[in-house]
Amino acid sequence: MEKKPVTIKEIAKRLNISVSAVSKALHDDQSIGLRTKMRVRAMAEELNYEPNQTAIFLQKGRTNTIGVIVPSLVESFFPQVISGIEEVANKHNYVVLLGQSMEDPEREQMLLETMKKHRVDGILISISKNTFQYDHLKKIKETIPLVFFDRIPDMKEIHYVACNLVSGTVQAMNYLLQQKHRIIGMVNGPEKLFSSKERLEGFRQALSKNRLKYDPSLVVNSDLSKESVIQAVKELLSSKRKPTALVAFHDNAAIDIIEYLKSIKKDKTIPVVSFANLPMSSHTVFKPAASLEQYPYLQGQKAMEVLIDVMNNKSTNAAANSAFYKVILDSRLVILK
């Protein structure tokens, strides 16, 4: 049978002193004499006593644990973000509790509640592509410091770290426009997703700056599944104004698009530009012509730094609680072909 952990009650009983005296001795309290401290420490070592970290954390009002929720770890983008988060978290003695929403708002809500029950000190979250109602996010941020990254909700008064997707889309469009493409299509993400709206805004801005008319038929939304992405491409190619180039929501969508274009022998004539610049993008045979670097590792670092500052200011600086971090990183177009 496994032995139960030794408690300070056992040490107190062996030494015939109070539990309070043992606790103070182990915490080097000045009210306890040196001889008693030495006796307590010796007995603790003899009994292989280990402090109850949960009790200590609850006593301090913090657990040195932060929760991180991402849509999925299948894409290499989010593992890179997590690496950046953990690099900063480790330096500040925080442990990361990780969960995947799997693009399910209900699972996302369940993870938030679970992390709250585990008394995490703060939460970092990139919302699911299907999260359009924010009640669960508003409820959590009232009690726990909450910082969003990459995929952020269309909410006011939030802390977040993200890339400038509007200017990034303008860069992608300018690259294609410089190659004399005048009919450019976009395979966007879910219409209500905030990052989809940002991409659309960049798409329209680029056309306007180049005195080209925006044609809504050249932007097709998808749920980002392979089937939905391919259906969007089919819709674009059947349009009266057939696009000669495409902008994809991200690298995974671009790979699905290029694979499909190859199957219908149009890959040579329709270049695709995407977002994320994932490591695999430069190695696959279906790589896009260019991709926007979104710096996932740096996003993770910055998000964790913001969360630490928010947690530190939670109870000590009322003025800081009325200000909100909006850290926006500039995207950079990377030519892959």
Side-chain angles (χ1 to χ4, degrees):
M1 182 180 294
E2 187 177 346
K3 290 184 178 180
K4 292 183 179 181
V6 175
T7 65
I8 59 175
K9 289 182 179 180
E10 178 66 20
I11 297 173
K13 183 178 179 181
R14 295 283 189 102
L15 297 176
N16 196 28
I17 59 176
S18 69
V19 171
S20 174
V22 173
S23 178
K24 290 179 179 180
L26 290 171
H27 288 88
D28 202 24
D29 192 297
Q30 293 182 355
S31 65
I32 302 298
L34 179 59
R35 182 171 179 275
T36 300
K37 287 180 182 178
M38 292 178 67
R39 289 179 64 214
V40 169
R41 291 169 185 170
M43 182 58 68
E45 185 175 351
E46 180 183 331
L47 297 176
N48 294 317
Y49 167 76
E50 292 184 1
N52 185 332
Q53 290 297 329
T54 301
I56 293 173
F57 288 149
L58 292 177
Q59 187 179 29
K60 291 181 178 180
R62 50 190 285 182
T63 62
N64 277 60
T65 303
I66 62 111
V68 178
I69 300 174
V70 297
S72 172
L73 293 175
V74 173
E75 297 179 25
S76 63
F77 180 88
F78 289 110
Q80 290 182 67
V81 175
I82 292 166
S83 293
I85 290 171
E86 289 194 318
E87 193 264 338
V88 176
N90 290 338
K91 286 182 180 178
H92 291 83
N93 298 316
Y94 281 95
V95 174
V96 173
L97 181 63
L98 177 64
Q100 300 178 75
S101 69
M102 307 306 291
E103 306 287 14
D104 181 353
E106 290 186 4
R107 183 180 173 91
E108 182 177 272
Q109 182 174 350
M110 179 272 291
L111 286 169
L112 285 168
E113 291 297 328
T114 299
M115 289 178 176
K116 180 181 178 181
K117 289 176 182 177
H118 279 77
R119 297 178 181 267
V120 296
D121 297 329
I123 296 174
L124 295 172
I125 180 172
S126 185
I127 64 172
S128 85
K129 66 182 181 183
N130 299 310
T131 297
F132 308 122
Q133 298 295 325
Y134 306 137
D135 289 346
H136 61 299
L137 300 172
K138 292 175 182 177
K139 181 180 177 182
I140 285 291
K141 87 181 190 73
E142 289 176 357
T143 56
I144 301 174
L146 188 64
V147 176
F148 298 91
F149 63 90
D150 186 53
R151 293 192 200 166
I152 60 176
D154 191 5
M155 290 170 56
K156 296 179 180 179
E157 299 185 340
I158 60 172
H159 305 286
Y160 67 81
V161 176
C163 266
N164 191 330
L165 298 179
V166 176
S167 67
T169 308
V170 170
Q171 289 182 60
M173 290 290 288
N174 285 342
Y175 169 76
L176 294 171
L177 289 165
Q178 287 166 8
Q179 294 186 342
K180 309 302 181 183
H181 294 284
R182 290 298 177 267
I183 305 177
I184 302 170
M186 172 181 274
V187 178
N188 211 351
E191 186 175 3
K192 293 182 180 179
L193 192 65
F194 187 63
S195 55
S196 295
K197 295 177 182 178
E198 290 180 298
R199 286 168 170 81
L200 178 59
E201 176 60 25
F203 185 86
R204 300 184 70 156
Q205 281 187 22
L207 291 173
S208 177
K209 289 176 182 177
N210 287 274
R211 299 182 180 181
L212 294 171
K213 187 178 179 180
Y214 168 65
D215 182 349
S217 71
L218 291 174
V219 177
V220 181
N221 294 99
S222 71
D223 65 11
L224 299 177
S225 66
K226 184 173 183 176
E227 296 76 16
S228 181
V229 166
I230 292 174
Q231 183 57 42
V233 176
K234 289 179 178 178
E235 187 174 332
L236 287 167
L237 294 181
S238 65
S239 173
K240 289 182 179 179
R241 299 184 68 217
K242 291 183 176 60
T244 61
L246 295 172
V247 176
F249 184 87
H250 54 31
D251 287 346
N252 285 342
I255 289 170
D256 291 336
I257 291 170
I258 297 166
E259 183 180 14
Y260 173 70
L261 292 175
K262 280 184 178 290
S263 73
I264 61 173
K265 300 182 179 179
K266 286 187 177 291
D267 61 300
K268 300 294 183 184
T269 57
I270 305 179
V272 180
V273 176
S274 58
F275 293 75
N277 190 34
L278 300 178
M280 67 174 181
S281 300
S282 59
H283 300 293
T284 177
V285 293
F286 305 123
K287 66 182 176 183
S291 184
L292 271 298
E293 174 60 66
Q294 292 180 259
Y295 304 102
Y297 191 87
L298 182 59
Q299 279 199 54
Q301 290 179 311
K302 293 292 184 183
M304 187 64 213
E305 288 170 358
V306 168
L307 182 59
I308 289 172
D309 201 45
V310 173
M311 291 188 297
N312 289 341
N313 288 325
K314 182 181 178 183
S315 58
T316 59
N317 191 339
N321 293 329
S322 63
F324 294 89
Y325 285 94
K326 302 183 188 305
V327 181
I328 302 174
L329 307 176
D330 285 328
S331 303
R332 177 176 63 87
L333 190 70
V334 179
I335 309 302
L336 299 177
K337 288 189 176 180

